[in-house]
Amino acid sequence: GSGLLDETISALRPDRLASLELRLQSQEEELTLVKSALADALRRLSLYDQQIPLLTQQLLAGGIQRNWNRSLAAGAAWSRAGALAVGGALEGLSIKMFLRGRPITMYIPSGISHYEELRAELPAEHLQLDWVYGYRGRDSRSNLYVLASGELVYFIACVVVLYHIQHRSQRHYLRHTDCVRCLAVHPDRVRVATGQTAGVDKDGKPLQPFVHIWDSSTLLTLQQIGLGSFERGVGSLAFSTADQGAYLCVVDDSNEHMLSVWDCARGTKQAEIKSTNESVFTVEFNPQDSSNFITSGKSHVYFWTWSGSTLSKKQGIFGKYKKPKFIQCFLFDANGDVLTGDSEGNILTWARTAADIRTLGKGAKETYQIGRQTRAHEGSIFSLCLRRDGSVLSGGGKDRRLVHWSPSLALLQEVEIPEQFGAVRTIVEGPGAELLVGTTRNALLRGSLAAGFTPIIQGHTDELWGLATHPSQSLFLTCGHDRQVCMWDSGEHTAAWSLTLEETGLCADFHPSGRVVAVGLNTGRWLVLDTETRQVLSGGSDGNEQLSVVRYSPDGEFLAIGSHDNFIYIYSVGEGERKYSRFGRCTGHSSFITHLDWSKDSKFIMSNSGDYEILYWDVAGGCKLLRNRFESRDREWASYTCVLGFHVFGEGWSPRASTRGLGNTLEVLGGVVFQWQSPPLTPLPCSLLQAPSHVYGGHGSHVTNVRFTNDDSHLVSLGGKDTSIFQWRSWGCPVSTLTRFPIPRTCVQWGLSTWGHSLPPGV
């Protein structure tokens, strides 16, 4: 059923998938270049004849007489996935750089008369993480707790979130370098242990995972445990209880699922053993005896005994009861018995039995045997929770039921979680009768068995790509592979509404009026939605390949749609943004469109493609390709999202930035988004190599999109496969005073970097 599928997904090795993805992406990039090389060569040959008169004009004007044949970085290269080599010289009024051997010429704006005198300084502006939308419930468990402060603690991407419901505020622990996978709270409900996955470096090689023990009141790290000891990642954690949390048990994600016990105060390993070759889902100490603990997972439940440096286990025997494929959860009840929840929907009661001294001798230990089976759910049981009064709560996967049981497992009450939120992933008690529920569709619910549940945190459930910010309100829209289109209120930190599409949404843009928003899909179709009613007002289809960018012109008269079929489709907009008529098509790119920007007068477009082209188009003149790119060097653009151009070439660059979005980092340029893989927060124009920058971490996957909110007070970033949405507050010099000048006046550039990935030298 769905429970077995969820457990199979959760058992996949994220580092292996990431490594294979990097290799596949590299091959795709090579094929893209080879595919476009012939078409590009023919086009460039036709341009050479037209460039001769231009070069003659430059010679006569004395431009090349200056002969700035000073190398920008002769032979230098950034080692970003081995993809970038920048070297070349100023040739008159242009700069040439090379991407994978392909020359790209960029013309210097006339406002920069002395390129060699340009200086790059760190901007005074900074970003601070303000809010994290989402919760990792789809493929993790035991990931929600209530701290002594009253805050909820949970995780998503590389961030551990501390959320105070009454104050409607968040704090964030940001010391992890890759995705957090598990969480445990100390008996004092102040200290927290979090473990992360290994991740991979730029070459696809695994990085070392670790566990952090930290203070939730100060957010200070108290201890780093296990660096170099764990493989692939940390899958499960548990503090001991009987000795006031002196020890921490850790199970890693290696093939043997190494189990180790650590001294929390000293950070030293006390014992270690290979636990099993099967997936381990959870571990817990016996609350009455720290020398005993239990692990459960695929096809097993083990009862462990720890003494000094020795660990031994006894396998749970199912006997006459059907052995389930997965034992997803368990707890110690008020009587000291163990209750397990499994993929068959049963709660098994494991009662303690006296040691068999006759057979095993005087040193024999007491054991656990199944004394009772209770049919609880249809499909898997994902969570069990012991309430303060000794009663038990169980959460179902397939049936989405939350069931309340008496201490003797008599049914007391049940409620069904709404389908839109998914199945129950974890349950914790709040104050009084309040319950908090994490779901498999990455939502946190608050409520009670009597009154029902409402969401307090919501998020996407699959890879995110599309992002657009409202032109006049504190709203932004996201879409992704889960086929959800969500409108968010950045002021209230809530989801305003969501809509399920029949296809995957990959890009979006608001009309300047803010009344409608266009969404591009993976099938070549596009839709126009009313932002108030969510009604589909218009739409169309251009080819059968995915759309990568949609962009309204500043005057709202046109909609430009960039497709993976190498074309940019232009539509005229009329009748209150309800009627869309094909105006023309921009033909000339030899690879798929990645980014495009409109000029301020809504007459021209600048575009980038997957094979590193920078082309300019005269839309008003009939969607014609401008052969003479020199004439566009001083054109003012309404936005600057293109990743190739004079104003940004100084940053380290990877083809992944254009072929897949933004790689693992992002930049934001002068209040408009700039999609990139190099570390940002650098001055604009960023036309010097290794420009100084501020770097911000938190995302655990490639950053696929970023946008400023309408008043430039916040920045929104999407984490791709980690499904997270981060909202950053800008502070320092007011952004609005720096983002309104036309290029090349100095503006400000922000950016983020996923921790754990290599950075260009000097940053």
Side-chain angles (χ1 to χ4, degrees):
S2 62
L4 297 183
L5 178 60
D6 283 346
E7 298 306 327
T8 302
I9 292 173
S10 67
L12 291 175
R13 302 290 179 230
D15 56 320
R16 291 181 177 177
L17 293 177
S19 178
L20 291 173
E21 184 186 55
L22 286 174
R23 294 179 184 177
L24 178 61
Q25 178 60 32
S26 178
Q27 293 175 354
E28 290 176 349
E29 291 165 0
E30 294 292 346
L31 289 173
T32 298
L33 288 175
V34 172
K35 181 180 177 181
S36 64
L38 289 176
D40 180 62
L42 292 174
R43 184 175 62 81
R44 289 180 179 275
L45 283 173
S46 66
L47 292 178
Y48 286 149
D49 290 339
Q50 301 176 30
Q51 290 180 353
I52 292 176
L54 174 62
L55 292 174
T56 302
Q57 291 177 4
Q58 293 178 354
L59 283 168
L60 293 175
I64 296 182
Q65 296 299 322
R66 291 195 293 265
N67 194 20
W68 295 335
N69 287 325
R70 178 169 57 90
S71 175
L72 292 177
W78 286 296
S79 178
R80 297 291 287 190
L84 174 65
V86 177
L90 289 171
E91 298 174 359
L93 301 178
S94 66
I95 292 177
K96 182 178 290 186
M97 77 172 184
F98 296 83
L99 290 176
R100 293 202 167 184
R102 179 168 190 163
I104 299 177
T105 301
M106 296 162 291
Y107 291 99
I108 303 172
S110 60
I112 300 177
S113 57
H114 300 287
Y115 175 82
E116 70 276 15
E117 296 179 2
L118 285 180
R119 296 292 180 267
E121 298 179 356
L122 277 171
E125 294 71 27
H126 298 268
L127 296 179
Q128 181 177 356
L129 188 57
D130 174 56
W131 198 266
V132 174
Y133 299 85
Y135 150 82
R136 186 166 180 168
R138 182 179 181 186
D139 61 352
S140 63
R141 54 183 52 76
S142 300
N143 53 9
L144 176 65
Y145 295 88
V146 180
L147 300 173
S149 63
E151 294 169 299
L152 303 185
V153 59
Y154 58 93
F155 58 81
I156 183 171
C158 305
V159 179
V160 186
V161 182
L162 295 89
Y163 175 38
H164 201 294
I165 300 176
Q166 284 73 29
H167 298 167
R168 300 181 67 182
S169 63
Q170 284 187 356
R171 297 186 296 139
H172 309 98
Y173 181 74
L174 298 168
R175 302 304 298 171
H176 281 283
T177 60
D178 216 292
C179 285
V180 180
R181 293 297 308 278
C182 52
L183 169 69
V185 173
H186 192 273
D188 64 13
R189 296 175 63 204
V190 174
R191 282 172 281 179
V192 178
T194 44
Q196 68 171 65
T197 189
V200 294
D201 64 12
K202 60 185 178 61
D203 298 317
K205 297 179 181 178
L207 297 173
Q208 293 180 332
F210 55 79
V211 173
H212 273 176
I213 300 176
W214 48 280
D215 188 316
S216 63
S217 59
T218 64
L219 300 182
L220 294 178
T221 303
L222 305 175
Q223 197 70 255
Q224 178 171 281
I225 285 178
L227 185 65
S229 297
F230 309 132
E231 292 184 24
R232 295 180 181 164
V234 180
S236 301
L237 292 170
F239 280 103
S240 59
T241 303
D243 49 20
Q244 289 78 49
Y247 299 99
L248 182 72
C249 186
V250 183
V251 182
D252 74 6
D253 284 331
S254 64
N255 289 337
E256 298 83 11
H257 294 93
M258 298 299 296
L259 183 151
S260 54
V261 179
W262 298 77
D263 185 310
C264 295
R266 297 183 176 88
T268 55
K269 187 189 302 181
Q270 305 298 298
E272 184 178 43
I273 194 173
K274 297 177 181 178
S275 65
T276 176
N277 289 328
E278 300 289 359
S279 298
V280 178
F281 295 154
T282 187
V283 58
E284 286 292 340
F285 278 93
N286 186 325
Q288 307 301 323
D289 184 358
S290 295
S291 66
N292 295 317
F293 55 87
I294 299 175
T295 60
S296 70
K298 183 178 180 182
S299 303
H300 77 271
V301 55
Y302 291 134
F303 299 88
W304 294 86
T305 300
W306 167 43
S307 177
S309 61
T310 303
L311 289 164
S312 59
K313 68 181 179 183
K314 291 183 179 180
Q315 184 168 357
I317 305 301
F318 290 87
K320 65 179 181 180
Y321 299 97
K322 180 181 179 181
K323 185 176 183 179
K325 186 173 182 179
F326 297 103
I327 297 92
Q328 288 104 330
C329 54
F330 66 87
L331 59 77
F332 292 87
D333 70 9
N335 299 320
D337 294 336
V338 176
L339 307 182
T340 60
D342 59 44
S343 54
E344 298 294 324
N346 296 321
I347 298 176
L348 299 178
T349 303
W350 301 73
R352 290 190 295 181
T353 58
D356 187 355
I357 299 177
R358 291 183 182 179
T359 305
L360 302 176
K362 293 183 178 180
K365 300 283 186 179
E366 64 179 7
T367 59
Y368 286 87
Q369 293 183 353
I370 300 176
R372 179 182 177 186
Q373 175 177 285
T374 304
R375 182 64 178 172
H377 292 270
E378 179 185 352
S380 294
I381 300 174
F382 284 164
S383 182
L384 291 172
C385 173
L386 182 65
R387 304 198 73 174
R388 288 182 286 268
D389 61 4
S391 62
V392 174
L393 295 167
S394 63
K398 185 177 180 180
D399 59 15
R400 306 189 316 280
R401 288 164 55 234
L402 182 62
V403 184
H404 188 201
W405 307 87
S406 71
S408 60
L409 294 185
L411 179 62
L412 299 177
Q413 194 175 0
E414 64 179 273
V415 65
E416 185 174 306
I417 301 299
E419 184 176 3
Q420 69 188 91
F421 301 123
V424 178
R425 174 60 76 191
T426 190
I427 312 164
V428 296
E429 274 195 297
E434 182 178 282
L435 297 175
L436 298 150
V437 178
T439 75
T440 57
R441 290 190 63 81
N442 295 349
L444 291 180
L445 311 180
R446 179 190 185 197
S448 65
L449 294 168
F453 293 87
T454 57
I456 54 174
I457 293 290
Q458 292 177 266
H460 283 270
T461 59
D462 208 341
E463 189 168 357
L464 284 173
W465 281 93
L467 171 64
T469 51
H470 196 282
S472 58
Q473 300 179 36
S474 297
L475 300 172
F476 64 90
L477 181 138
T478 57
C479 57
H481 288 195
D482 59 1
R483 301 186 178 183
Q484 295 292 311
V485 174
C486 298
M487 183 76 80
W488 306 89
D489 188 322
S490 62
E492 296 295 324
H493 304 134
T494 58
W497 55 259
S498 64
L499 178 68
T500 301
L501 303 176
E502 296 180 358
E503 300 153 66
T504 297
L506 297 177
C507 51
D509 193 41
F510 282 93
H511 187 272
S513 70
R515 292 188 294 265
V516 301
V517 62
V519 179
L521 308 178
N522 66 329
T523 58
R525 294 182 61 237
W526 52 273
L527 305 172
V528 177
L529 305 175
D530 186 299
T531 57
E532 292 290 337
T533 66
R534 295 172 250 177
Q535 179 184 357
V536 177
L537 302 179
S538 186
S541 180
D542 293 300
N544 55 9
E545 297 194 44
Q546 70 182 55
L547 304 181
S548 51
V549 56
V550 293
R551 190 83 71 214
Y552 280 100
S553 61
D555 62 8
E557 296 296 320
F558 294 102
L559 173 65
I561 302 172
S563 171
H564 269 229
D565 65 7
N566 304 358
F567 301 128
I568 300 173
Y569 300 90
I570 308 297
Y571 285 81
S572 59
V573 182
E575 296 183 8
E577 299 92 47
R578 291 173 174 267
K579 183 178 181 180
Y580 292 75
S581 305
R582 175 76 74 83
F583 179 80
R585 185 177 72 171
C586 300
T587 304
H589 273 295
S590 50
S591 185
F592 56 89
I593 313 303
T594 60
H595 309 87
L596 66 85
D597 294 288
W598 283 92
S599 62
K600 287 187 175 181
D601 60 10
S602 300
K603 295 181 179 180
F604 300 92
I605 283 178
M606 170 175 56
S607 58
N608 291 168
S609 63
D611 58 349
Y612 326 135
E613 289 180 316
I614 311 171
L615 298 184
Y616 299 89
W617 311 89
D618 181 357
V619 175
C623 301
K624 296 178 181 178
L625 175 64
L626 297 176
R627 303 288 182 178
N628 188 350
R629 289 182 293 166
F630 175 79
E631 295 179 352
S632 296
R633 66 175 183 155
D634 290 330
R635 186 160 285 120
E636 294 186 1
W637 301 98
S639 62
Y640 210 108
T641 66
C642 286
V643 300
L644 294 172
F646 172 80
H647 298 88
V648 296
F649 86 92
E651 289 287 348
W653 199 89
S654 166
R656 192 178 180 88
S658 64
T659 60
R660 291 291 299 276
L662 290 107
N664 298 308
T665 64
L666 57 88
E667 296 182 3
V668 181
L669 191 62
V672 292
V673 182
F674 193 72
Q675 304 180 354
W676 211 257
Q677 188 172 338
S678 59
L681 220 79
T682 54
L684 174 71
C686 182
S687 305
L688 297 175
L689 298 185
Q690 301 180 12
S693 61
H694 297 305
V695 179
Y696 300 92
H699 285 298
S701 178
H702 50 288
V703 180
T704 53
N705 217 327
V706 286
R707 288 289 185 273
F708 271 119
T709 54
N710 66 300
D711 59 359
D712 293 336
S713 62
H714 291 82
L715 172 75
V716 180
S717 61
L718 305 185
K721 289 189 176 180
D722 69 23
T723 73
S724 65
I725 303 170
F726 289 179
Q727 183 173 307
W728 306 79
R729 180 175 61 87
S730 61
W731 60 278
C733 184
V735 180
S736 59
T737 66
L738 296 169
T739 58
R740 304 309 180 195
F741 298 114
I743 295 171
R745 290 288 298 274
T746 300
C747 298
V748 110
Q749 175 178 313
W750 274 276
L752 312 174
S753 169
T754 300
W755 286 338
H757 299 275
S758 61
L759 303 179
V763 175

